[in-house]
Amino acid sequence: MKFLYPLSLIYVAVSRANRKFSSPKKLSRPVISVGNITWGGTGKTPIVIELLNFLIKNNLKPTVLTRGYARKNKKPLLLKDGAVGVNVLDSGDEPLLIAKSVPKACVVVGADRYSSALNFETEINTDVYILDDGFQHWNIQRDLDIVCVNAANPFGNGMLIPVGILREKPEALKRAGLVIITNSDMISEKELHKLEAEIFALSGKQSIVSYYNGFEYKKTDLSTSFSSELLKKSDVYSLSAVGFAKGFKNSIEKSGIEIKDSIVLRDHSSYTNEMLKKIISKKDKNSYFIITAKDAVKFQNSDASTKEKIAVLIVNPHFVTEREQWEREVLKSLQYF
């Protein structure tokens, strides 16, 4: 790994320059950022969805600003009303999942998130912006930074990209307004207390501890139920293209389904009909595959016989501690009281 050290130094230099020479701009509405300090796999998207639902519950109209990683269409795009008929190649997987999961929210997709917000400002008439993956985004001022830390792999080997998984050193947590520990059920109570103490030393804030539960199985349309009893008596394989496949597998097992084997692809990988047919053909005809909700939006063009073999695991974050703190800080950032 030593040959990668010079690349880490370059990464640090570019990141520092980017921050130093950026001029954060203020949008017309409050901005809440949800991000992390590591490269993927912190469970950020379910937290964004939970935040959107909380804001809507409080009669607020939220809009997500997101880059849309790996999408083919580079033009700014507005997703609303559940993004019916939108192609995942145009939007990216995470933006489309968010839009389908929270139809009352708007999702603005574009590399320049500030300009994209201005493009659609009149049309969306939002109350609050959610800056997705925004902790290292220096071009927009925000009123609250929420940072997700994966309990099962909080800081990797302690090295920056590409030697490690860190986008910033852990000391950056001192900029966070809230720190949410995800996947807390994947470590021991002793390890969790140690991580909480470490985060407090770094940020000066008490962590909000969470894990995923409320498991449901849906078909690839994300609305029709899929029988969990059928899965329990069948050969089942997990198939994923997410940042933390180990956490996905943990959630499946917690839902009561035994996995025969796991097929793991690179995060944000695309699926083709040919690829899926090849994977399915290698297994018993009575086998089924469990995928993530983020992957489900990529199955739009799959044929019916393929979709019949696919179950989608839906998860929801459960706050073990400090849910009231989360809600209070969110509303406070909006000058709600």
Side-chain angles (χ1 to χ4, degrees), residues 1 37-42 148-170 195 198 244:
M1 296 290 287
I37 61 169
T38 56
W39 184 258
T42 59
C148 301
V149 176
N150 179 5
N153 191 21
F155 310 121
N157 61 3
M159 302 297 292
L160 293 166
I161 296 169
V163 179
I165 62 171
L166 286 174
R167 303 162 88 172
E168 294 186 82
K169 287 291 187 180
L195 178 59
E198 186 176 2
F244 188 52

Side-chain angles (χ1 to χ4, degrees), residues 46-333:
I47 296 296
V48 169
I49 291 171
E50 182 76 7
L51 175 58
L52 292 172
N53 284 323
F54 171 70
L55 292 168
I56 290 168
K57 184 180 177 181
N58 282 274
N59 299 313
L60 294 166
K61 185 178 179 181
T63 295
V64 178
L65 301 178
T66 182
R67 175 187 170 192
Y69 183 82
R71 71 190 186 112
K72 303 302 181 184
N73 183 355
K74 302 304 180 185
K75 294 180 180 179
L77 181 66
L78 172 61
L79 309 179
K80 60 180 183 178
D81 301 323
V84 177
V86 174
N87 192 308
V88 68
L89 296 177
D90 292 327
S91 64
D93 51 14
E94 289 178 358
L96 189 54
L97 170 61
I98 293 169
K100 287 184 175 296
S101 299
V102 194
K104 291 184 178 181
C106 291
V107 180
V108 172
V109 191
D112 186 335
R113 283 171 264 188
Y114 178 78
S115 295
S116 298
L118 295 184
N119 283 343
F120 298 107
E121 189 173 38
T122 303
E123 183 175 354
I124 59 180
N125 189 29
T126 193
D127 293 315
V128 53
Y129 288 105
I130 307 303
L131 187 59
D132 178 48
D133 197 16
F135 198 51
Q136 291 80 30
H137 187 80
W138 312 114
N139 292 329
I140 296 178
Q141 294 182 23
R142 48 268 202 176
D143 299 271
L144 176 64
D145 269 304
I146 299 173
V147 179
C148 301
V149 176
N150 179 5
N153 191 21
F155 310 121
N157 61 3
M159 302 297 292
L160 293 166
I161 296 169
V163 179
I165 62 171
L166 286 174
R167 303 162 88 172
E168 294 186 82
K169 287 291 187 180
E171 288 76 13
L173 290 175
K174 64 186 176 185
R175 300 199 317 270
L178 286 174
V179 179
I180 300 179
I181 296 175
T182 61
N183 296 310
S184 65
D185 59 329
M186 294 185 68
I187 60 175
S188 68
E189 188 173 344
K190 182 179 179 180
E191 290 171 319
L192 178 58
H193 290 327
K194 182 180 177 181
L195 178 59
E196 288 181 280
E198 186 176 2
I199 290 174
F200 184 81
L202 291 165
S203 67
K205 298 174 182 66
Q206 187 68 42
S207 303
I208 296 171
V209 179
S210 71
Y211 61 86
Y212 299 106
N213 71 354
F215 307 116
E216 298 177 85
Y217 283 98
K218 301 285 187 180
K219 294 187 178 182
T220 55
D221 61 8
L222 296 178
S223 58
T224 308
S225 295
F226 194 106
S227 171
S228 59
E229 293 305 314
L230 176 60
L231 295 173
K232 287 178 182 178
K233 58 186 181 183
S234 305
D235 287 344
V236 174
Y237 300 84
S238 68
L239 172 62
S240 62
V242 294
F244 188 52
K246 185 178 178 182
F248 175 51
K249 182 180 178 182
N250 177 66
S251 292
I252 295 174
E253 292 173 343
K254 281 178 59 183
S255 75
I257 306 298
E258 184 178 343
I259 308 169
K260 193 166 185 179
D261 197 8
S262 296
I263 302 166
V264 179
L265 306 178
R266 184 174 57 85
D267 193 13
H268 297 286
S269 291
S270 299
Y271 296 92
T272 63
N273 263 322
E274 293 73 21
M275 176 198 300
L276 292 169
K277 286 182 177 296
K278 186 175 181 180
I279 291 172
I280 292 171
S281 67
K282 290 182 178 180
K283 309 300 180 186
D284 185 89
K285 65 178 181 179
N286 295 319
S287 298
Y288 291 89
F289 297 81
I290 298 176
I291 64 172
T292 68
K294 187 173 89 169
D295 286 329
V297 297
K298 305 172 191 174
F299 282 66
Q300 296 169 317
N301 298 320
S302 299
D303 57 39
S305 61
T306 297
K307 290 180 179 179
E308 286 177 359
K309 293 290 185 179
I310 304 295
V312 184
L313 175 63
I314 307 296
V315 302
N316 297 288
H318 171 73
F319 294 101
V320 181
T321 64
E322 308 297 339
R323 184 181 185 99
E324 290 184 0
Q325 179 193 352
W326 143 274
E327 295 179 349
R328 184 171 59 250
E329 290 298 324
V330 166
L331 297 178
K332 182 179 177 182
S333 72

